[in-house]
Amino acid sequence: MSTGMGTLVHQGTYAAGLAAQDGEAHAATGFTAYAWLLIALPAFGALFLLVGGRRTNSFGPVLATLLSWGSFVIGAIITISMMGRAAGDRPKSVHLFDWITGGSFDVQAGLLIDQLSICFVLLITFVGSLIHVYSLGYMQDDPDKRRFFAYLNLFVAAMLLLVLADSYLLLYVGWEGVGLASYLLIGFWYHNPVFATAGNKSFFANRVGDFGMTVAIILMFFYFGGVDFRTVQAGVAGLQGAHQGVMTAIALTLLLGATAKSAQLPLQSWLGDAMAGPTPVSALIHAATMVTAGVYLVVRAGPIFEASPTAQLVVVIVGSATLIFGAIIGCAKDDIKKALAASTISQIGYMMLAAGLGPIGYAFAIFHLLTHGFFKAGLFLGAGSVMHGMKDQVDMRRFGGLWVMMKVTWVTFGLAYLSIIGFPLLSGFWSKDKIIEAAFVGEGWRPWVFGLAALIGAGITAFYMSRLFFMTFHGKRRWTDEVHPHESGLTMTVPMVVLAFGSAFLGLILGPTGIITSWLAPFTGGVQELHPVIPESAVIALTLILVAIGIALAWMMYLRDEVPQAAPRGNLLTQAARVDLYQDHVNEALLMRPGIHLTRSLVFADNEGVDGAVGGLAAFVGGTSSRMRKIQNGFVRSYALTFLTGIVAIIGALWVIS
Amino acid sequence: MTTFQVANIDYIAILPLLIVFGTAVIGVLVEAFVGRERRHTIQATLAVAGLLAAFVAVIVATGHMGLTLGHVDTATDRHLFALSIDGPALFMQGALLLLSVLGVLTMAERLGGTGSDTFTPSGASTPGSQIEAVSARAGLITSEVFPLAMISVGGMMLFPTVNDLIGMFVALEVLSLPLYVLTGLARRRRLLSQEASLKYFLLGAFSSAFFLFGTALLYGYAGSVYFRDLSQAVSAGPISMNGLLVPGAFLVFVGLFFKIGAVPFHAWTPDAYQGAPTPVTGFMAACTKAAAFGAILRLAYTGLDTARWEWTNGLIVVAILTMVVGSVLAVTQTDMKRLLAYSAISHAGFILVGVIAFDQKGISSVLFYTVAYGFSTIAAFAIVGLVRQGGSEATHLSQWAGLGRNHPLVAGTFAFLLLAFAGIPLTSGFVAKYVVFSAAIGTGGATGTGLVIIGIVCSAITVFVYLRIIVLMYFSDAPDDTVAFVTPSAVTTFSIAIGTMVTLALGVLPAALLDLADRSSVFIR
């Protein structure tokens, strides 16, 4: 087995890459100039299906799928033409229109097509299109199928806008767009109140993140005089050192946005609930693409984070804490989708950790993001296939022995499962191993803490994923009486097979060959060889040992011993993990209760100060009549008094000041 | 000795004002001489035609910018002109006219009946009295709302155009008095409506008194009421007179703050918004606010610009209070119209942040914000007026539950408008907040940045408010007694559609209007 092959990058590309990074992206010519079509096609699809209404019911879903594939083809052609150019000439910009013009507000809307964004374009359009195909089968009987496909197209368009935008402001537009699409899709079955509440939770968590994004953008505008990537990068270079605090502030506010979107601590709680949406949605948005936007943001804003070691440290801490946190929760969940959601949180924690390590980690973060896009989408589609055959049940305690009935699902799911636990030579092995190695690089206490976290995380991952796999496909059949498991149709299995190929081979193609690292060299500054505090081979050996222990434990507990159909009480940790390690309780205590209290007391103050003492009555005596009586009881007098008091107070203050 | 000098009047420059006031007068005559059954149609048509003609006149007037309606006193070289037809004035006039077209169209909604459904058949009758019942049976209508609205529009157009404090006071009263009447004309819940009207009137009179008091103090300071003289007097004037200047300047602002519903002069807003007939509420929220901000800009940038240091702190305090109180109190509202009233208050706070920028960017961002907000708010209130239960408007929030399921298009449109209020990208609200906040940061220094941070926090609070409604409409079960959405006639549909499309267009491609606002951001005094 060859180790460390991906860590060496040719010096030639390094220099050229740096030139690309420093220089201006040239205006696109040839086919790349049509990059706007990438976004326009699915956007048109969404609009057409929503406006067209029922008339498009018959052909709408297929049209949406074709448009999504169309985007992929365009993306592929652009990639090929990009590969044909020298590294320094690869980034291209496409000017769309003058968005906000005039003096100091000048913001152009444009696209930046470079090595980083094109990686995402390919992932989004390819996995997205596969999931469109899968949905044709999965949503077959849903009366509102057209609306679902319209939202899917909307999501693809918004996500592409997010990764292709050439300024933080336009990125923010896409950021909101994917949030909206996610919200619409989680709440797609809005007749179910639980699902609808889940939609709310995701929306509120994301508003907290948006707040961070807004502040970051305004700070950038203030300190750098612009919000496009080039201006910001130049600004960072100009201000470096002198404004350490500013850099940290911008980086941390960006990170707040990233934690909300990527379900990282402390804003991770919404992702589990978001699983209420249709399964293809969970696969596309809440596993493969949207939730990785935070990682994209941290890598894209790399120069800002690099200017602030404090912020980088925070990113690494967030990443490592989240990866352990998600993994522990994953061990206790009996709902197959929630277990996978916890695993997503944990895997994105790995990416965050890598992104926080700085240039040495960027390529590996993106690499893991790509392979994760494949195997996690494959796992979700597999789960969807299982649910399809099991009458939409999700409780793994009522699965078991399914491998006989669902051979294709079993094999594809199995490959994705082996990939995520880092089984040698499969995709996840190449990408996750690099992150663990990179986490062990450094001086002092950090490599030991973060490296060990990543290492232990890998062991726990092997345990909970094996548990999930064994409980679902092996062991005794614990089915409820009315289910008759069967394999899903071709529209569903073909995408699963394609993704399984990706889960198996993508890592081998991109990793050990050095393709991914040299492709992304402009962002990583050409990675030097890694020098972990313990030898690379030791890292790999330790990882594999822990993985083996994890599998063995899962085998003993869930395959050798019988799985009880009702969840046992479990120890304290299990109980805590089942309720997501009390994250909702914490949210409630820290945020909701003081918030509610604040609102209540404010209302109280309002009634007392403005409406007079009668205000308290309004709480008891509803209705208009009492309101009117109250108004007749000298309302205006107290209004006027407020008025006068305000004037006196402010003029008094002005006088004192001047 | 001063001799009488003939005033120079550029009739083309003031043509928009003449058309609007002329239409109002014709409207009064129509009211007197045209038969009842045709009156509603004729009045509505006349009003819309007048507004559109005036809009054309505004475009023509752009070639005639300058001071008018007065003369240059050759002896003292003082410019004594009553009106200043400049960029901001014409921009505001044009915007007010377009917004008023939508406002008047929603007022003309009849909901299938013969008269305007939102207005009482006889405004002068006591609620619940015999006369009221008789006039309802006789099919009386209150078509005088149209001339009243036109007079108010004329006052609003005058408000940012005037060049002296007395003129500003006259404009203030001309725009306010018809609004007091309109507020009291609701068809249902008339007691609430009349209470609102009276309250609005009393507090309006209260604030006008402060405006006049401030004017007197400033006259005492400068010896003139013309903005140009005022500005020069401050730059030349002695500090010892600050005892007149500081309170004078702030009290004059108080009169204008009252109109935009700034805290602590906001108390009338929720009550008046709730009590007034809903189309009037929309009209007030959009147009009064735009006109008053035009006046605030004129005062801040031409009359009291040199005295800025004396009153900016007051403005900052008011802006902070307005944003915070408006946003926080909106959280607990249970009545849709009151909620939108508090939302209007918080928006006034956000716009005030732009005023503090003190440069052309500040002016153009405020102009943009008022227009963007105006279109969204008229459409929003038009929808509120159409969601009904048992014949009257269903304004309690609980009545909106599940609306998205029964009326997806209506709820979707309303949700979109709420997102615009919240300032989510791809709506005009986002661009508006962006330009206002970046103007404040760009030139407002640390104070501006602080205000913007407070503004963003408050925006986040209001986002919660709006999302709560969206959640309610889409994810809650409908109450047992179903709430009906009354399908409106073409006129209201038109205003809702235009308001929504402008909200979207300004969010996606704001460049054209931003450009226009930029080019219109130079005052002449």
Side-chain angles (χ1 to χ4, degrees), chain A residues 320-332:
Chain A
S320 352
T322 313
L323 82 89
I324 298 282
F325 185 92
I328 292 176
I329 293 175
C331 297

Side-chain angles (χ1 to χ4, degrees), chain A residues 183 218 222 602-603 632 639, chain B residues 195 271 328 332 441 456 475:
Chain A
Y183 183 60
I218 284 175
F222 187 49
L602 280 166
V603 177
Q632 284 165 331
Y639 284 3
Chain B
E195 291 292 348
D271 291 349
V328 171
T332 51
I441 283 188
I456 291 170
F475 300 123

Side-chain angles (χ1 to χ4, degrees), chain B residues 23-36:
Chain B
T23 318
V25 172
I26 298 173
V28 174
L29 294 176
V30 169
E31 203 56 35
F33 293 109
V34 175
R36 189 189 303 146

Side-chain angles (χ1 to χ4, degrees), chain A residues 97-105 107 169 172-173 176 180 183 187-188 190-191 193 196-197 199-200 203-204 207 210-211 214-215 217-219 221-222 227 598-600 602-603 606 610-611 624 627-628 631-632 635-636 639-647 650-651 654-655 657-658, chain B residues 189 191-192 195 199 202-203 206-207 210 243 246-247 250-251 254 258 264-265 267-268 271 274 310-311 313-314 317-318 328-329 331-332 338 342 361 404-405 424-426 430-431 434-435 437-439 441 449 452 456-457 460 463-464 467 471 474-475 507-511 514-515 518:
Chain A
F97 54 87
D98 297 340
W99 189 13
I100 302 174
T101 54
S104 57
F105 296 151
V107 178
L169 196 63
Y172 184 53
V173 173
E176 287 295 327
L180 173 69
Y183 183 60
F188 181 71
Y190 56 60
H191 33 83
T197 320
N200 300 344
F203 215 110
F204 290 130
R207 294 291 79 70
D210 289 348
F211 170 68
T214 318
V215 174
I217 289 174
I218 284 175
L219 285 173
F221 188 86
F222 187 49
V227 292
L598 181 71
T599 332
R600 278 204 195 123
L602 280 166
V603 177
D606 178 40
V610 182
D611 294 4
T624 317
R627 180 116 209 129
M628 285 184 199
I631 292 165
Q632 284 165 331
F635 229 167
V636 182
Y639 284 3
L641 192 63
T642 325
F643 200 125
L644 187 64
T645 318
I647 293 177
I650 294 174
I651 290 190
L654 283 181
W655 233 320
I657 294 169
S658 69
Chain B
R189 301 212 272 177
L191 270 178
L192 186 71
E195 291 292 348
K199 206 179 311 170
L202 288 176
L203 290 170
F206 196 51
S207 82
F210 280 110
V246 175
F250 188 72
L251 289 179
V254 164
F258 175 80
F265 321 110
W268 62 278
D271 291 349
Q274 189 186 18
E310 313 298 340
W311 52 263
N313 288 321
V317 171
V318 171
V328 171
L329 285 188
V331 171
T332 51
R338 287 185 85 83
Y342 281 108
K361 288 292 149 208
R405 228 161 296 168
I424 303 292
L426 292 187
F430 171 72
V431 181
Y434 178 79
V435 290
F437 287 167
S438 48
I441 283 188
T449 314
V452 168
I456 291 170
V457 173
V463 168
F464 169 77
L467 288 182
V471 167
Y474 280 94
F475 300 123
V508 180
L509 288 170
L514 276 174
D515 243 20
D518 254 1

Side-chain angles (χ1 to χ4, degrees), chain A residues 398-474:
Chain A
R398 305 314 298 260
F399 292 171
L402 285 175
W403 72 277
V404 189
M405 322 294 292
M406 317 175 102
K407 285 268 163 49
V408 182
T409 308
W410 175 59
V411 172
T412 55
F413 196 96
L415 276 171
Y417 146 70
L418 291 175
S419 185
I420 192 176
I421 65 169
F423 193 81
L425 302 184
L426 295 182
S427 292
F429 166 76
W430 300 106
S431 52
K432 195 195 285 179
D433 180 57
K434 285 295 155 219
I435 293 180
I436 300 176
E437 275 176 36
F440 271 113
V441 174
E443 285 168 2
W445 56 274
R446 292 187 189 181
W448 295 103
V449 172
F450 301 131
L452 282 175
L455 197 61
I456 294 166
I460 308 178
T461 306
F463 172 75
Y464 73 77
M465 282 310 298
S466 306
R467 169 182 180 271
L468 189 154
F469 188 69
F470 295 155
M471 279 173 86
T472 305
F473 289 101
H474 297 276

Side-chain angles (χ1 to χ4, degrees), chain A residues 225-522:
Chain A
V227 292
D228 60 298
F229 296 147
R230 205 160 54 81
T231 312
V232 170
Q233 196 176 341
V236 173
L239 284 181
Q240 212 156 1
H243 289 73
Q244 190 78 38
V246 175
M247 298 301 160
T248 310
I250 297 180
L252 289 182
T253 45
L254 281 177
L255 180 66
L256 184 65
T259 52
K261 195 59 95 192
S262 289
Q264 299 292 290
L265 283 171
L267 292 174
Q268 81 298 356
S269 64
W270 63 273
L271 190 64
D273 296 335
M275 292 299 125
T279 310
V281 172
S282 314
L284 177 61
I285 300 184
H286 306 117
T289 55
M290 184 189 82
V291 288
T292 58
V295 180
Y296 170 77
L297 183 69
V298 174
V299 174
R300 181 57 88 184
I304 302 176
F305 282 91
E306 284 156 40
S308 165
T310 321
Q312 276 189 314
L313 181 63
V314 175
V315 178
V316 176
I317 291 173
V318 166
S320 352
T322 313
L323 82 89
I324 298 282
F325 185 92
I328 292 176
I329 293 175
C331 297
K333 288 286 176 190
D334 291 334
D335 177 328
I336 185 168
K337 285 182 74 182
K338 293 212 164 154
L340 286 177
S343 141
T344 304
I345 293 176
S346 166
Q347 295 299 312
I348 296 174
Y350 272 105
M351 300 172 209
M352 240 354 143
L353 164 62
L357 292 173
I360 63 163
Y362 291 157
F364 305 135
I366 300 299
F367 185 24
H368 193 56
L369 194 157
L370 293 175
T371 57
H372 175 260
F374 277 81
F375 59 67
K376 188 50 69 61
L379 288 171
F380 267 108
L381 294 193
S385 175
V386 168
M387 287 162 58
H388 204 64
M390 300 290 283
K391 300 219 158 165
D392 286 330
Q393 290 188 20
V394 287
D395 186 0
M396 294 188 292
R397 295 194 180 274
R398 305 314 298 260
F399 292 171
L402 285 175
W403 72 277
V404 189
M405 322 294 292
M406 317 175 102
K407 285 268 163 49
V408 182
T409 308
W410 175 59
V411 172
T412 55
F413 196 96
L415 276 171
Y417 146 70
L418 291 175
S419 185
I420 192 176
I421 65 169
F423 193 81
L425 302 184
L426 295 182
S427 292
F429 166 76
W430 300 106
S431 52
K432 195 195 285 179
D433 180 57
K434 285 295 155 219
I435 293 180
I436 300 176
E437 275 176 36
F440 271 113
V441 174
E443 285 168 2
W445 56 274
R446 292 187 189 181
W448 295 103
V449 172
F450 301 131
L452 282 175
L455 197 61
I456 294 166
I460 308 178
T461 306
F463 172 75
Y464 73 77
M465 282 310 298
S466 306
R467 169 182 180 271
L468 189 154
F469 188 69
F470 295 155
M471 279 173 86
T472 305
F473 289 101
H474 297 276
K476 276 214 174 134
R477 297 176 179 183
R478 302 178 299 276
W479 311 338
T480 46
D481 297 335
E482 74 279 9
V483 297
H484 306 286
H486 55 85
E487 185 56 275
S488 307
L490 273 183
T491 46
M492 290 171 68
T493 47
V494 169
M496 285 153 57
V497 171
V498 176
L499 288 173
F501 270 97
S503 313
F505 302 119
L506 187 69
L508 190 65
I509 297 169
L510 296 179
T513 54
I515 290 179
I516 189 76
T517 33
S518 59
W519 181 255
L520 290 174

